[in-house]
Amino acid sequence: MNNIFRAIRSCSFIIAALGVCNYSNANGDVDFSQWTLSWSDEFDYENEALEDNWISQNGPTENEWVLSSRWRDNAVVDDGVLLLKAEKESRGGQDWTTGNVWSKRTFGYGYYEARMKYAGAYGTNNSFWLWPKQGTSEGEKACEIDINEGHYPNIINTNVHNWTDKYTLPNGRVAHSDNQLHHTLHGDPENGLTLDKPVFTRKVRLRSNNPASIHIAEFRVLDGSSENIATAASISTNGVFSKLPSKESFAIDGRADTRWVSGKHGEKWLELEWDKPQQVAGIEFSNGWLQEFGAAKGKYRNLISDYVIEYHDGDNWVKVAQYDAAQVADYSTQWHTYGLEWDEDYFRFYLDGELYHQMRNDVCFSDTTILFSLAILKADIAGPVTDAIDGTSMKVDWVRYYTKP
């Protein structure tokens, strides 16, 4: 019966009947004239006052994928900005420390937005998320909403978890329902180079530290007459992501509608080899995948964050091209706003006020708290963990919560 009442109260029901309840404008941007600011924290106070609104973890992190313990010392308000600092120090039985906070008050449906910068290093997980730290009422689901688990330099990760309804996989691992998606809204799906002077080689390869799997629709090697000779090569890679229909051969099958999706963790690589030396004048590849429907129509996901392209000269690998997505968009040096509109029917995710992803709400109906967390992740989930992380910080300028009039 509760679900029936929810449907009757829902905005989708009213839209069908009256054509109202649209809280975005025609361009998919947030229309703030349709929202009322109900709560905010601008962090415009001394560090000691942080505890008026927020609670910090003080101790080790139990999550098996997190390498950092978290402490109030690592959550610092400085000049109107909340800094969640990463330090290379052994404390709480872990080799790194970071900071996190969660709100003392709880929140419900509405529009959430924060202005943030990422920590400027691979290996970091920069999170703005919702979770019922106060506990879940009987009959409701333990629901986690990840507005963004951001990875350097410009990867946005959204997810909605149902932690109540768990199940056991055939391999014995206990799993739960989630919907993790990697969004790369800045970058180019087509990459290529023309060599100043053609070379003769038996081997060409691409290497990447991309935090997630890389998606290669087509990898092309061009000879002097611009003929694609990749289809005649043998291919080896770091593996295939098992949860998607993919094969290594899809990277060089000459078809744009198939793709090789790499293994998820560690360095990613693709290597081509021919029986005898080939003339190589250019290398091109298509990556990521285009969203063809919904709020993200026309946008790409899973664009590669970095790569090196090399050929083998018979003795050594010679670099001919290098790419770093931070040169296109670096979310550790740029302020961006990350937003979520949450109601009984939908989750709508926004970057800088523009809608880029939407999904149905089938699980999250109870009050929640707001959390900001910086974590260092193992298994190269967010890229390699190096000393470059030491001294970096995730930064929050402000957080705001809006409700319907």
Side-chain angles (χ1 to χ4, degrees), residues 172-206:
R173 185 172 68 88
V174 176
H176 68 281
S177 174
D178 65 0
N179 186 26
Q180 184 176 14
L181 293 174
H182 308 280
H183 311 270
T184 316
L185 304 179
H186 296 96
D188 194 339
E190 296 291 338
N191 292 259
L193 72 146
T194 300
L195 277 64
D196 293 334
K197 182 179 180 181
V199 299
F200 284 86
T201 182
R202 290 183 56 238
K203 296 180 182 180
V204 169
R205 73 180 181 185
L206 174 147

Short mmCIF file of all heavy atoms in Angstrom, two decimals, residues 172-206:
data_model
loop_
_atom_site.label_atom_id
_atom_site.label_comp_id
_atom_site.label_asym_id
_atom_site.label_seq_id
_atom_site.Cartn_x
_atom_site.Cartn_y
_atom_site.Cartn_z
N GLY A 172 30.43 -17.83 -4.40
CA GLY A 172 30.35 -17.69 -2.95
C GLY A 172 30.45 -16.27 -2.44
O GLY A 172 30.24 -16.02 -1.25
N ARG A 173 30.76 -15.31 -3.31
CA ARG A 173 30.89 -13.92 -2.88
C ARG A 173 29.51 -13.32 -2.67
O ARG A 173 28.60 -13.48 -3.47
CB ARG A 173 31.66 -13.11 -3.91
CG ARG A 173 31.95 -11.68 -3.47
CD ARG A 173 32.88 -10.99 -4.44
NE ARG A 173 32.26 -10.75 -5.73
CZ ARG A 173 31.55 -9.66 -6.02
NH1 ARG A 173 31.35 -8.72 -5.11
NH2 ARG A 173 31.04 -9.52 -7.23
N VAL A 174 29.35 -12.61 -1.54
CA VAL A 174 28.09 -11.94 -1.24
C VAL A 174 28.08 -10.58 -1.93
O VAL A 174 29.02 -9.79 -1.78
CB VAL A 174 27.91 -11.77 0.28
CG1 VAL A 174 26.63 -10.99 0.58
CG2 VAL A 174 27.88 -13.14 0.96
N ALA A 175 27.04 -10.31 -2.70
CA ALA A 175 26.95 -9.07 -3.48
C ALA A 175 25.64 -8.35 -3.14
O ALA A 175 24.78 -8.87 -2.43
CB ALA A 175 27.03 -9.38 -4.97
N HIS A 176 25.51 -7.14 -3.67
CA HIS A 176 24.30 -6.35 -3.48
C HIS A 176 24.03 -5.58 -4.76
O HIS A 176 24.89 -5.46 -5.64
CB HIS A 176 24.47 -5.38 -2.30
CG HIS A 176 25.46 -4.30 -2.56
ND1 HIS A 176 26.82 -4.51 -2.47
CD2 HIS A 176 25.31 -3.00 -2.94
CE1 HIS A 176 27.46 -3.40 -2.76
NE2 HIS A 176 26.58 -2.46 -3.07
N SER A 177 22.83 -5.03 -4.87
CA SER A 177 22.46 -4.30 -6.07
C SER A 177 23.12 -2.92 -6.08
O SER A 177 23.09 -2.20 -5.08
CB SER A 177 20.93 -4.15 -6.11
OG SER A 177 20.54 -3.33 -7.19
N ASP A 178 23.73 -2.58 -7.22
CA ASP A 178 24.26 -1.24 -7.39
C ASP A 178 24.20 -0.87 -8.87
O ASP A 178 23.79 -1.67 -9.70
CB ASP A 178 25.68 -1.10 -6.84
CG ASP A 178 26.69 -1.97 -7.61
OD1 ASP A 178 26.29 -2.66 -8.57
OD2 ASP A 178 27.88 -1.94 -7.24
N ASN A 179 24.59 0.37 -9.17
CA ASN A 179 24.52 0.84 -10.55
C ASN A 179 25.67 1.82 -10.78
O ASN A 179 25.46 3.00 -11.01
CB ASN A 179 23.17 1.51 -10.83
CG ASN A 179 23.01 1.88 -12.30
OD1 ASN A 179 23.61 1.27 -13.17
ND2 ASN A 179 22.18 2.87 -12.57
N GLN A 180 26.89 1.32 -10.71
CA GLN A 180 28.06 2.18 -10.85
C GLN A 180 28.30 2.53 -12.31
O GLN A 180 28.34 1.66 -13.18
CB GLN A 180 29.30 1.51 -10.28
CG GLN A 180 30.53 2.41 -10.31
CD GLN A 180 31.73 1.78 -9.65
OE1 GLN A 180 31.76 0.59 -9.40
NE2 GLN A 180 32.72 2.59 -9.36
N LEU A 181 28.47 3.83 -12.57
CA LEU A 181 28.75 4.31 -13.92
C LEU A 181 29.89 5.32 -13.85
O LEU A 181 29.96 6.15 -12.94
CB LEU A 181 27.52 4.98 -14.53
CG LEU A 181 26.33 4.07 -14.84
CD1 LEU A 181 25.14 4.88 -15.30
CD2 LEU A 181 26.69 3.03 -15.90
N HIS A 182 30.79 5.23 -14.83
CA HIS A 182 31.91 6.16 -14.94
C HIS A 182 31.58 7.16 -16.03
O HIS A 182 31.33 6.79 -17.18
CB HIS A 182 33.21 5.41 -15.29
CG HIS A 182 33.51 4.26 -14.40
ND1 HIS A 182 34.09 4.41 -13.15
CD2 HIS A 182 33.32 2.93 -14.55
CE1 HIS A 182 34.23 3.22 -12.58
NE2 HIS A 182 33.76 2.31 -13.41
N HIS A 183 31.61 8.44 -15.69
CA HIS A 183 31.28 9.49 -16.65
C HIS A 183 32.54 10.32 -16.91
O HIS A 183 33.16 10.82 -15.98
CB HIS A 183 30.19 10.41 -16.11
CG HIS A 183 29.00 9.68 -15.56
ND1 HIS A 183 27.90 9.34 -16.32
CD2 HIS A 183 28.74 9.21 -14.32
CE1 HIS A 183 27.02 8.71 -15.57
NE2 HIS A 183 27.50 8.61 -14.35
N THR A 184 32.89 10.46 -18.18
CA THR A 184 34.00 11.32 -18.56
C THR A 184 33.44 12.35 -19.53
O THR A 184 33.25 12.07 -20.71
CB THR A 184 35.13 10.52 -19.24
OG1 THR A 184 35.36 9.32 -18.51
CG2 THR A 184 36.42 11.32 -19.27
N LEU A 185 33.14 13.53 -19.03
CA LEU A 185 32.40 14.51 -19.80
C LEU A 185 33.32 15.48 -20.54
O LEU A 185 32.85 16.34 -21.28
CB LEU A 185 31.45 15.29 -18.88
CG LEU A 185 30.47 14.39 -18.10
CD1 LEU A 185 29.59 15.23 -17.20
CD2 LEU A 185 29.63 13.55 -19.03
N HIS A 186 34.64 15.37 -20.31
CA HIS A 186 35.61 16.17 -21.05
C HIS A 186 36.61 15.22 -21.69
O HIS A 186 37.13 14.33 -21.04
CB HIS A 186 36.34 17.15 -20.14
CG HIS A 186 35.46 18.17 -19.52
ND1 HIS A 186 34.93 18.03 -18.26
CD2 HIS A 186 35.00 19.35 -19.98
CE1 HIS A 186 34.19 19.08 -17.97
NE2 HIS A 186 34.22 19.90 -18.99
N GLY A 187 36.90 15.42 -22.96
CA GLY A 187 37.85 14.56 -23.66
C GLY A 187 37.38 14.27 -25.06
O GLY A 187 36.30 14.70 -25.48
N ASP A 188 38.18 13.52 -25.78
CA ASP A 188 37.90 13.22 -27.18
C ASP A 188 37.87 11.71 -27.39
O ASP A 188 38.83 11.02 -27.04
CB ASP A 188 38.99 13.84 -28.07
CG ASP A 188 38.59 13.86 -29.54
OD1 ASP A 188 37.71 13.08 -29.93
OD2 ASP A 188 39.18 14.65 -30.30
N PRO A 189 36.79 11.17 -27.96
CA PRO A 189 36.75 9.72 -28.20
C PRO A 189 37.71 9.26 -29.29
O PRO A 189 38.09 8.09 -29.33
CB PRO A 189 35.30 9.47 -28.61
CG PRO A 189 34.83 10.78 -29.15
CD PRO A 189 35.53 11.83 -28.34
N GLU A 190 38.10 10.17 -30.18
CA GLU A 190 39.02 9.82 -31.27
C GLU A 190 40.42 10.36 -30.97
O GLU A 190 40.59 11.54 -30.67
CB GLU A 190 38.53 10.39 -32.59
CG GLU A 190 37.19 9.82 -33.06
CD GLU A 190 37.30 8.36 -33.47
OE1 GLU A 190 38.42 7.91 -33.81
OE2 GLU A 190 36.27 7.67 -33.49
N ASN A 191 41.40 9.48 -31.01
CA ASN A 191 42.78 9.87 -30.77
C ASN A 191 43.64 9.34 -31.92
O ASN A 191 43.41 8.23 -32.41
CB ASN A 191 43.29 9.30 -29.45
CG ASN A 191 42.61 9.93 -28.25
OD1 ASN A 191 43.19 10.80 -27.61
ND2 ASN A 191 41.40 9.50 -27.95
N GLY A 192 44.62 10.11 -32.33
CA GLY A 192 45.46 9.65 -33.42
C GLY A 192 46.71 10.48 -33.58
O GLY A 192 46.81 11.60 -33.07
N LEU A 193 47.68 9.92 -34.28
CA LEU A 193 48.90 10.65 -34.59
C LEU A 193 49.42 10.19 -35.94
O LEU A 193 49.18 9.06 -36.37
CB LEU A 193 49.97 10.39 -33.53
CG LEU A 193 50.62 9.00 -33.52
CD1 LEU A 193 52.07 9.10 -33.11
CD2 LEU A 193 49.88 8.06 -32.58
N THR A 194 50.12 11.10 -36.58
CA THR A 194 50.84 10.79 -37.81
C THR A 194 52.33 10.94 -37.53
O THR A 194 52.76 12.00 -37.04
CB THR A 194 50.43 11.73 -38.95
OG1 THR A 194 49.03 11.60 -39.19
CG2 THR A 194 51.20 11.41 -40.21
N LEU A 195 53.09 9.89 -37.77
CA LEU A 195 54.52 9.95 -37.50
C LEU A 195 55.21 10.90 -38.46
O LEU A 195 54.85 10.95 -39.65
CB LEU A 195 55.15 8.56 -37.60
CG LEU A 195 55.05 7.66 -36.35
CD1 LEU A 195 53.61 7.31 -36.03
CD2 LEU A 195 55.87 6.39 -36.55
N ASP A 196 56.17 11.66 -37.97
CA ASP A 196 56.93 12.56 -38.83
C ASP A 196 57.62 11.79 -39.95
O ASP A 196 57.71 12.27 -41.09
CB ASP A 196 57.97 13.33 -38.01
CG ASP A 196 57.33 14.29 -37.02
OD1 ASP A 196 56.19 14.73 -37.28
OD2 ASP A 196 57.96 14.60 -36.00
N LYS A 197 58.08 10.59 -39.59
CA LYS A 197 58.74 9.73 -40.56
C LYS A 197 58.28 8.30 -40.30
O LYS A 197 58.37 7.82 -39.17
CB LYS A 197 60.26 9.84 -40.43
CG LYS A 197 61.03 9.01 -41.44
CD LYS A 197 62.54 9.20 -41.24
CE LYS A 197 63.32 8.37 -42.24
NZ LYS A 197 64.80 8.54 -42.05
N PRO A 198 57.75 7.59 -41.30
CA PRO A 198 57.30 6.21 -41.08
C PRO A 198 58.43 5.34 -40.52
O PRO A 198 59.61 5.57 -40.81
CB PRO A 198 56.87 5.75 -42.47
CG PRO A 198 56.52 7.00 -43.20
CD PRO A 198 57.50 8.03 -42.69
N VAL A 199 58.06 4.35 -39.72
CA VAL A 199 59.03 3.42 -39.14
C VAL A 199 58.66 2.00 -39.57
O VAL A 199 57.52 1.74 -39.97
CB VAL A 199 59.06 3.51 -37.60
CG1 VAL A 199 59.46 4.91 -37.16
CG2 VAL A 199 57.70 3.13 -37.01
N PHE A 200 59.62 1.10 -39.48
CA PHE A 200 59.36 -0.32 -39.73
C PHE A 200 59.50 -1.05 -38.39
O PHE A 200 60.51 -0.92 -37.70
CB PHE A 200 60.33 -0.87 -40.76
CG PHE A 200 60.00 -0.46 -42.16
CD1 PHE A 200 60.46 0.75 -42.67
CD2 PHE A 200 59.19 -1.26 -42.95
CE1 PHE A 200 60.14 1.13 -43.96
CE2 PHE A 200 58.87 -0.88 -44.25
CZ PHE A 200 59.35 0.33 -44.75
N THR A 201 58.46 -1.79 -38.04
CA THR A 201 58.44 -2.45 -36.74
C THR A 201 57.54 -3.67 -36.79
O THR A 201 56.64 -3.76 -37.63
CB THR A 201 57.94 -1.48 -35.64
OG1 THR A 201 57.97 -2.14 -34.37
CG2 THR A 201 56.51 -1.03 -35.93
N ARG A 202 57.78 -4.59 -35.85
CA ARG A 202 56.90 -5.76 -35.71
C ARG A 202 55.93 -5.58 -34.55
O ARG A 202 55.00 -6.38 -34.41
CB ARG A 202 57.72 -7.03 -35.47
CG ARG A 202 58.52 -7.48 -36.69
CD ARG A 202 59.27 -8.79 -36.42
NE ARG A 202 58.34 -9.82 -35.99
CZ ARG A 202 58.42 -10.48 -34.82
NH1 ARG A 202 59.39 -10.18 -33.95
NH2 ARG A 202 57.56 -11.43 -34.52
N LYS A 203 56.13 -4.54 -33.70
CA LYS A 203 55.30 -4.42 -32.51
C LYS A 203 54.89 -2.96 -32.29
O LYS A 203 55.70 -2.04 -32.42
CB LYS A 203 56.03 -4.91 -31.27
CG LYS A 203 56.38 -6.39 -31.28
CD LYS A 203 57.11 -6.75 -29.98
CE LYS A 203 57.53 -8.19 -29.96
NZ LYS A 203 58.25 -8.54 -28.69
N VAL A 204 53.63 -2.79 -31.91
CA VAL A 204 53.08 -1.50 -31.50
C VAL A 204 52.24 -1.75 -30.25
O VAL A 204 51.56 -2.78 -30.15
CB VAL A 204 52.21 -0.88 -32.61
CG1 VAL A 204 51.42 0.31 -32.09
CG2 VAL A 204 53.07 -0.46 -33.79
N ARG A 205 52.28 -0.82 -29.29
CA ARG A 205 51.44 -1.02 -28.11
C ARG A 205 50.92 0.30 -27.56
O ARG A 205 51.48 1.37 -27.81
CB ARG A 205 52.20 -1.77 -27.01
CG ARG A 205 53.27 -0.96 -26.30
CD ARG A 205 53.97 -1.80 -25.23
NE ARG A 205 54.99 -1.02 -24.52
CZ ARG A 205 55.81 -1.53 -23.61
NH1 ARG A 205 55.76 -2.83 -23.32
NH2 ARG A 205 56.71 -0.76 -23.00
N LEU A 206 49.84 0.18 -26.79
CA LEU A 206 49.25 1.26 -26.02
C LEU A 206 49.28 0.85 -24.56
O LEU A 206 48.90 -0.27 -24.22
CB LEU A 206 47.81 1.54 -26.47
CG LEU A 206 46.99 2.56 -25.67
CD1 LEU A 206 46.03 3.30 -26.60
CD2 LEU A 206 46.17 1.90 -24.55
#
